[in-house]
Amino acid sequence: MRKPIIAGNWKMNKTAAEAKELVNELKPLVKDAECDVVVCVPFTDIYAVAEAVKGSNIRLGAQNVHFADHGAFTGEISADMLLEAGVEYVIIGHSERRQYFGETDETVNKRTLTALAKGLKPIVCVGESLEERETGKTEAVLKAQIVNGLKDVEDITKVVVAYEPIWAIGTGKTATAEQANETIAFIRKTIAENFCPKCAEKVRIQYGGSMNAKNAHELMSMPEIDGGLIGGASLKAEDFSIVVKM
Ligand code: 13P
C-alpha cells in the first residue's frame, strides 16, 4: 500500500555537465521502475537536471532548503527558488548537515514546515551515531528527532522519513536488514503515538547507509522498509538502476 521511493543523494558530487550525462544514462535504465525515482542533486545542477529529466519518470530533488522566504541568509536557497527551478523533493536534516553545518531538530523542523507549506516534498533524515547505538540510546535519539523535527506537521503522510544510521553512511557497513526493519518499525510506532496511528501506516520510511546493488534486494524485501536514500551507489547509473529495480 506504500509505494516505494528510491532517491539518490548525490551529496557534493557532479558538475552540471556531469549531472546531465549521468541522468541521460539513467533515464532508459529506470524507465519501467515501479517505485518513485528521485535524484537529489547539488543546487548548481538543478536547472540542467530539470531539463534532462523532462518527459521521464525521474523526479528532481534538492539537498536542503531554507525556512525563510527570502532575505539575508548568505549561501542559502529558498523554497520558491527550488520550485521555480522544477524541484519536487528536498532532503532535510541529513546527518552531514547536522554534523558539519550545525543543523538541529529545531532547524530541521523549520525547514520541514516551510517545505510543506510551499508544496515541496520533504525527505527528513534521522539516525543515531555508533556511540548512541552502542550505549542503548538509539530509540531515545530517534524519538527526539521525530517528535521535535516533525513538530506541528499537520499531514505527516506528506513527509518521507529516511532512517540513516550514521555509522552506516559511506562506511560500507550496512545495518542488517533485520536491524533496519526493526528500527524503522520503531520510527513508525513513534509516528503513530505522536501524530496519528492511521497516518503512520501511510508514511514512507526509507533506509539509507551503504545501500547498493548487492544488498538492496534484502533490505527492500523487509515489510517496514519503503525504499532507500542512496549515496555512493547513486553516482553510477548502472548501480542505481539495479537498486531501483529491486
Ligand atoms: P552512502 O550510500 O554513500 O552510504 O550514503 C548514504 C547517505 O547518506 C544517503 O543520504
Side-chain angles (χ1 to χ4, degrees):
M1 125 190 147
R2 297 184 296 264
K3 189 177 185 192
I5 172 169
I6 301 288
N9 174 10
W10 290 6
K11 308 192 179 184
M12 196 177 73
N13 292 289
K14 304 290 174 190
T15 65
E18 290 164 348
K20 196 171 144 190
E21 206 174 302
L22 175 55
V23 166
N24 282 334
E25 214 184 315
L26 194 58
K27 277 194 288 188
L29 299 177
V30 301
K31 68 175 182 7
D32 300 320
E34 283 166 18
C35 61
D36 287 336
V37 183
V38 185
V39 289
C40 299
V41 307
F43 290 136
T44 49
D45 296 355
I46 287 173
Y47 275 95
V49 173
E51 194 56 38
V53 297
K54 261 187 200 149
S56 81
N57 59 332
I58 302 175
R59 297 278 161 272
L60 179 55
Q63 298 173 16
N64 196 12
V65 61
H66 198 262
F67 39 80
D69 278 356
H70 50 78
F73 300 102
T74 303
E76 290 283 333
I77 300 282
S78 76
D80 288 335
M81 292 170 184
L82 296 179
L83 286 162
E84 195 181 285
V87 169
E88 192 175 328
Y89 289 86
V90 63
I91 297 173
I92 296 175
H94 191 278
S95 61
E96 287 148 18
R97 300 284 326 161
R98 295 178 190 255
Q99 197 176 342
Y100 307 129
F101 303 100
E103 200 82 57
T104 62
D105 289 341
E106 192 191 344
T107 58
V108 167
N109 184 240
K110 288 165 92 170
R111 293 181 200 271
T112 303
L113 292 174
T114 295
L116 288 168
K118 292 286 185 177
L120 285 165
K121 298 173 180 163
I123 299 176
V124 177
C125 301
V126 297
E128 81 286 1
S129 67
L130 185 59
E131 195 205 337
E132 287 160 347
R133 178 160 281 266
E134 285 176 344
T135 52
K137 296 195 188 110
T138 300
E139 294 195 347
V141 167
L142 292 173
K143 184 175 175 188
Q145 288 175 341
I146 292 289
V147 171
N148 301 326
L150 300 179
K151 188 166 156 264
D152 297 332
V153 168
E154 274 172 28
D155 185 357
I156 198 88
T157 64
K158 294 212 164 89
V159 175
V160 175
V161 175
Y163 167 57
E164 300 205 308
I166 297 169
W167 47 272
I169 295 176
T171 56
K173 200 173 166 186
T174 342
T176 64
E178 289 74 23
Q179 252 174 346
N181 191 63
E182 192 180 290
T183 312
I184 288 177
F186 171 78
I187 293 171
R188 198 177 303 288
K189 181 165 106 38
T190 304
I191 294 172
E193 286 168 2
N194 292 277
F195 295 87
C196 107
K198 259 201 195 133
C199 321
E201 286 307 311
K202 293 193 188 140
V203 176
R204 295 187 291 178
I205 309 180
Q206 301 172 307
Y207 168 77
S210 298
M211 190 162 164
N212 57 38
K214 288 203 182 87
N215 58 29
H217 180 71
E218 199 192 350
L219 288 158
M220 289 301 294
S221 62
M222 301 308 278
E224 293 289 341
I225 304 179
D226 305 318
L229 187 55
I230 322 295
S234 72
L235 298 172
K236 291 186 190 131
E238 177 81 31
D239 287 12
F240 188 61
S241 74
I242 294 172
V243 177
V244 162
K245 285 180 210 147
M246 289 299 160

